[in-house]
Every structure is written in structure tokens, then in C-alpha cells.
Amino acid sequence: MNGATFYVGRTFGREFGPLEATTPDGTVCHGAWKRTTLGAGRATFTCSDGVSGRASYTYFHRQSGTATGRGRTKSGDRLRFWAGHRVQEYVLSGAETNREMIDCVGRALQSLK
């Protein structure tokens, strides 16, 4: 949210489905997402530490299968997210490369190991 916190998780479905995420310190988040009639997506989530919020995605990178979006928590913290099977490929392709994004995605993927 402020660049120091990241969530690693998964979503399922083609038009709608659940989402799940955790932080390295063990905070667990659950929610749901759905695709809108215009092809964008909307998600809502609530976490075990009391954080909750909304996010939307409006961009889909076909080559890597990555969706990107933004959101806010109820307390006003900004969120950015990337979802897809080949997120790292997307980040390193330069499609939206910046140092903060590369570092965040790298830390998140490393936490899965």
C-alpha cells in the first residue's frame, strides 16, 4: 500500500470469482472480483488485520496474460496490483517498467518460495 506492504495471492474464474492474498507477516485477505460489461474488473476485499477496500483493473496485457489495476483501502491508502500467470514476464518486458514495480513484484514472488 505505501510501498512497504505487499500481498501475494490468487484469483480464480473468467467472469467472476474469489480472491485470496497474504502478506509475508501472515495477514490474510479474502474477497471477490467480477468482470464488468465493458471488460474492466472490480474487486472488494477484507483482511484479517482490519484493512478492507476496493480495486479495479482496466488493462489486460495479452502476451503475458497480466491484468493491472489500482484501488484504495477504506482508510485511503492507495493500491496497485498485477495479476496473471506470467506477472514477472510482464514486469521485465518493459510494458510498465519502473524500479518500484520490479522490486515489489520480485519480493512478492520470492516470498512464494
Side-chain angles (χ1 to χ4, degrees), residues 10-67:
R10 63 185 90 207
T11 62
F12 301 97
R14 188 168 173 88
E15 301 293 325
F16 61 89
L19 67 87
E20 304 167 354
T22 58
T23 64
D25 69 1
T27 299
V28 178
C29 305
H30 297 282
W33 71 275
K34 67 179 179 178
R35 190 172 172 184
T36 67
T37 56
L38 299 176
R42 303 264 185 245
T44 58
F45 64 91
T46 302
C47 302
S48 60
D49 63 358
V51 171
S52 64
R54 297 176 180 265
S56 62
Y57 70 84
T58 55
Y59 178 74
F60 185 75
H61 185 255
R62 287 192 183 275
Q63 290 84 353
S64 68
T66 300

Side-chain angles (χ1 to χ4, degrees), residues 70-81:
R70 297 180 184 269
R72 286 203 182 266
T73 65
K74 285 191 176 179
S75 64
D77 290 329
R78 292 181 296 164
L79 305 168
R80 288 188 67 191
F81 73 88

